[in-house]
Amino acid sequence: MSVEDLRKDLGTAALGFDGEQITAAEARRMACNADLVPVVLGTDSEILDFGRTARLAYPVQHRALRLRDKCCQAEDCDAPAAWTEAHHLKPWSEGGLTNLANMVLLCSSDHRRIHDPNYGYERLPSGRIWFTRRT
């Protein structure tokens, strides 16, 4: 069953291999009680979004970030993606998700800078990170 059908109470879901069908509402209740973790899959069924189940980015997420970002996302840096680390824009410790929307690639120098209390930063419309020195 698709996520849209599950949310809209449409359709049915198969329960097991015997062909038994349950409603979307029943599937939602069962998923809630089972503490299932939703994941987002890429085109080759690789997991791209782990939500809160993992703090560190998985290799497949690094690959997707390298394809998207191409290099360090600091405005004044062009370090190649192979030299970068995945950074959570909303920290994982504050409820941030380990997903592509919440992560950017930063070289180790800019990754240290983004965590340095002497610097502030903002994300530009281009997706790049602009650092400012706090006074």
Side-chain angles (χ1 to χ4, degrees):
M1 155 180 309
S2 72
V3 171
E4 292 79 25
D5 288 348
L6 187 63
R7 288 183 179 145
K8 294 177 186 174
D9 270 339
L10 299 174
T12 59
L15 183 65
F17 297 104
D18 62 3
E20 183 181 351
Q21 298 287 304
I22 59 173
T23 67
E26 289 170 311
R28 248 194 336 275
R29 262 192 311 281
M30 290 176 77
C32 182
N33 291 337
D35 194 28
L36 294 178
V37 178
V39 295
V40 176
L41 302 178
T43 55
D44 293 325
S45 297
E46 71 276 15
I47 299 174
L48 298 178
D49 179 347
F50 288 87
R52 299 268 314 148
T53 61
R55 182 178 69 84
L56 300 176
Y58 280 77
V60 67
Q61 290 173 309
H62 278 278
R63 263 183 278 146
L65 287 166
R66 286 192 301 269
L67 287 170
R68 183 191 73 191
D69 292 351
K70 311 243 186 305
C71 64
C72 174
Q73 290 302 287
E75 184 65 20
D76 58 349
C77 185
D78 61 357
W83 299 356
T84 60
E85 303 163 353
H87 169 73
H88 288 82
L89 294 167
K90 179 179 181 182
W92 194 85
S93 61
E94 296 174 15
L97 302 177
T98 302
N99 63 23
L100 300 182
N102 189 43
M103 292 188 296
V104 294
L105 292 179
L106 294 172
C107 68
S108 59
S109 174
D110 288 318
H111 201 176
R112 282 190 301 277
R113 185 165 48 154
I114 209 165
H115 289 284
D116 186 334
N118 295 313
Y119 288 91
Y121 70 93
E122 68 177 277
R123 190 160 191 207
L124 302 174
S126 66
R128 303 288 298 231
I129 303 294
W130 179 257
F131 288 100
T132 53
R133 183 122 173 107
R134 293 188 172 132
T135 55

